[in-house]
Amino acid sequence: VTDQILQLVPNVENFRITLKTIKHWASVRGIYSNNLGFFPGISFALLVARVCQLWPNAAPATLVGKFFYMYHTWRWPSPITITPNFKINFLDKTNLMPVVTPGSIIYTSQNTTYNISESTMKVIRFEFKRANEVMSRIEDPKNHDFGKFELLFDKSDFFQRYKIYVQVEIMGNNNDNFVAWKSWV
């Protein structure tokens, strides 16, 4: 899939810089984890690739702004795809934010966001909205935050936003048991 993505973006270097930025943002904001019901890396790659296709001559900083605007305003559950012709037979009401891999003669298209739940979708959409608002200030020369890209990477205020949360700790009597249970948490 990675090779297909690189063949489908107009400027590989701009794609890579933008993707690295978006992944760092998602990690800092706590929404980069397929196991926890957020987007995995491949989903971010496909989302960035689509933005790069739509704005082929844009610089990475512009692509980052377009990314947040596009996905903040996207009408989910309309699927995101980077190829016009894809076979899709798996979308149903459980696919809340489908991001679809390009298909091929050998492989059918796959939804990369099958773990998204109602609650994680709400968090992702909140973060897209927040990032879009921050980028609007960063890109506005009349705003006192103009050019301050570090604002995009402020750590999540998870513990201030949520009054109740669950903390899970796991342990095993040996490393093999620990690793086996770790994937369930």
Side-chain angles (χ1 to χ4, degrees):
V1 173
T2 303
D3 290 338
Q4 283 181 295
I5 293 171
L6 294 176
Q7 291 173 0
L8 293 168
V9 296
N11 185 317
V12 172
E13 187 61 22
N14 286 354
F15 165 76
R16 286 186 171 143
I17 293 168
T18 306
L19 179 58
K20 201 178 255 190
T21 303
I22 296 299
K23 283 183 171 183
H24 177 66
W25 164 82
S27 180
V28 168
R29 298 302 297 172
I31 61 167
Y32 185 3
S33 174
N34 189 41
N35 289 341
L36 297 177
F38 296 108
F39 290 148
I42 186 64
S43 298
F44 283 114
L46 292 163
L47 292 169
V48 170
R50 186 65 186 131
V51 170
C52 289
Q53 289 175 330
L54 293 173
W55 291 277
N57 299 316
T62 301
L63 291 169
V64 169
K66 298 291 188 188
F67 177 93
F68 292 121
Y69 176 77
M70 181 169 165
Y71 298 119
H72 160 61
T73 59
W74 191 259
R75 294 185 186 264
W76 303 102
S78 296
I80 303 291
T81 181
I82 61 172
T83 53
N85 301 318
F86 61 97
K87 288 183 181 179
I88 200 161
N89 59 4
F90 54 82
L91 290 182
D92 58 34
K93 291 183 182 184
T94 63
N95 298 127
L96 301 173
M97 299 180 89
V99 179
V100 182
T101 61
S104 69
I105 296 170
I106 300 169
Y107 302 105
T108 59
S109 298
Q110 300 292 318
N111 179 17
T112 64
T113 59
Y114 52 86
N115 276 347
I116 302 285
S117 66
E118 291 279 346
S119 61
T120 56
M121 179 177 76
K122 186 176 177 182
V123 172
I124 293 167
R125 294 186 73 180
F126 170 85
E127 291 296 338
F128 282 162
K129 179 180 180 203
R130 178 203 164 271
N132 183 60
E133 290 167 356
V134 170
M135 283 303 297
S136 294
R137 294 193 323 262
I138 292 169
E139 294 173 330
D140 181 0
K142 295 176 184 167
N143 192 294
H144 69 281
D145 290 334
F146 177 67
K148 295 180 181 176
F149 280 90
E150 65 273 10
L151 296 174
L152 189 61
F153 305 107
D154 283 348
K155 291 202 182 240
S156 174
D157 58 351
F158 177 86
F159 294 104
Q160 285 75 40
R161 278 191 290 151
Y162 300 100
K163 303 285 185 236
I164 300 171
Y165 57 93
V166 176
Q167 179 177 336
V168 177
E169 294 184 24
I170 60 168
M171 63 172 96
N173 57 358
N174 61 47
N175 192 50
D176 290 340
N177 286 342
F178 174 77
V179 170
W181 281 102
K182 180 180 167 187
S183 65
W184 287 93
V185 177

